[in-house]
């Protein structure tokens, strides 16, 4: 029972976090993090991921017994889901956008570089400059 609830909680947090990261990428024009070429697609993706995940969170007590997953466990599962969603988003966007942003070069450092290149391209440019 606890394994099923933990997995459900992890999946809800993971899906919601991926959706929120896509909204942030679209709003801040971080083309290297976004899965999509147009902002509207990122916003639609977020609506179809964050909306159902929030509905799942708000109806949690109606569907599941309370007190099974304690607060510290929820924190642990949320942090695990957050980390997994961030890694998934960076890897997936790098794979999806690698060809499209291949010729670009990072003119900025840090998060600003993700406006022009993917995460892995930014790492390559950053560590390539130090040699």
């Amino acid at each position: 029972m606890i394994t099923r609830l933990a997995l459900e909680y992890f999946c809800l947090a993971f899906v919601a976090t991926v959706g929120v990261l896509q909204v942030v990428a679209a709003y801040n024009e971080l083309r290297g993090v976004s899965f999509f070429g147009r902002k509207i697609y990122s916003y639609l993706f977020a609506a179809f991921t964050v909306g159902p995940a929030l509905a799942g969170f708000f109806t949690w007590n109606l569907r599941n017994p309370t007190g099974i997953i304690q607060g510290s466990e929820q924190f642990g599962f949320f942090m695990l889901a957050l980390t997994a969603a961030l890694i998934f988003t960076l890897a997936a966007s790098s794979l999806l956008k690698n060809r499209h942003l291949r010729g670009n070069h990072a003119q900025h450092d840090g998060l600003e570089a993700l406006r022009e290149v993917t995460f892995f391209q930014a790492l390559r440019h950053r560590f390539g400059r130090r040699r």
Side-chain angles (χ1 to χ4, degrees):
M1 175 68 151
I2 191 167
T3 304
R4 184 188 67 80
L5 292 178
L7 182 62
E8 180 181 348
Y9 184 83
F10 174 85
C11 288
L12 287 173
F14 177 84
V15 167
T17 304
V18 170
V20 168
L21 288 172
Q22 288 306 298
V23 166
V24 169
Y27 182 78
N28 291 302
E29 298 179 3
L30 300 175
R31 296 183 316 152
V33 179
S34 178
F35 294 161
F36 308 99
R38 297 183 61 198
K39 282 185 179 186
I40 189 69
Y41 297 142
S42 294
Y43 293 138
L44 288 172
F45 177 83
F48 287 120
T49 55
V50 176
L54 286 177
F57 281 125
F58 286 124
T59 61
W60 182 271
N61 290 340
L62 300 174
R63 297 176 289 107
N64 300 311
T66 58
I68 302 294
I69 300 178
Q70 301 299 318
S72 61
E73 293 171 330
Q74 285 181 353
F75 175 75
F77 288 129
F78 180 77
M79 292 307 294
L80 187 62
L82 177 72
T83 303
L86 183 60
I87 291 169
F88 172 79
T89 299
L90 293 175
S93 63
S94 290
L95 290 173
L96 291 170
K97 294 288 189 113
N98 185 39
R99 191 181 78 222
H100 181 67
L101 299 176
R102 181 174 288 154
N104 293 2
H105 295 286
Q107 302 298 323
H108 301 91
D109 289 331
L111 289 176
E112 289 292 320
L114 297 177
R115 290 179 187 251
E116 304 154 349
V117 296
T118 68
F119 177 73
F120 292 130
Q121 289 171 341
L123 284 178
R124 193 174 330 124
H125 290 300
R126 176 70 177 152
F127 292 118
R129 283 190 217 149
R130 288 186 175 180
R131 292 181 192 171

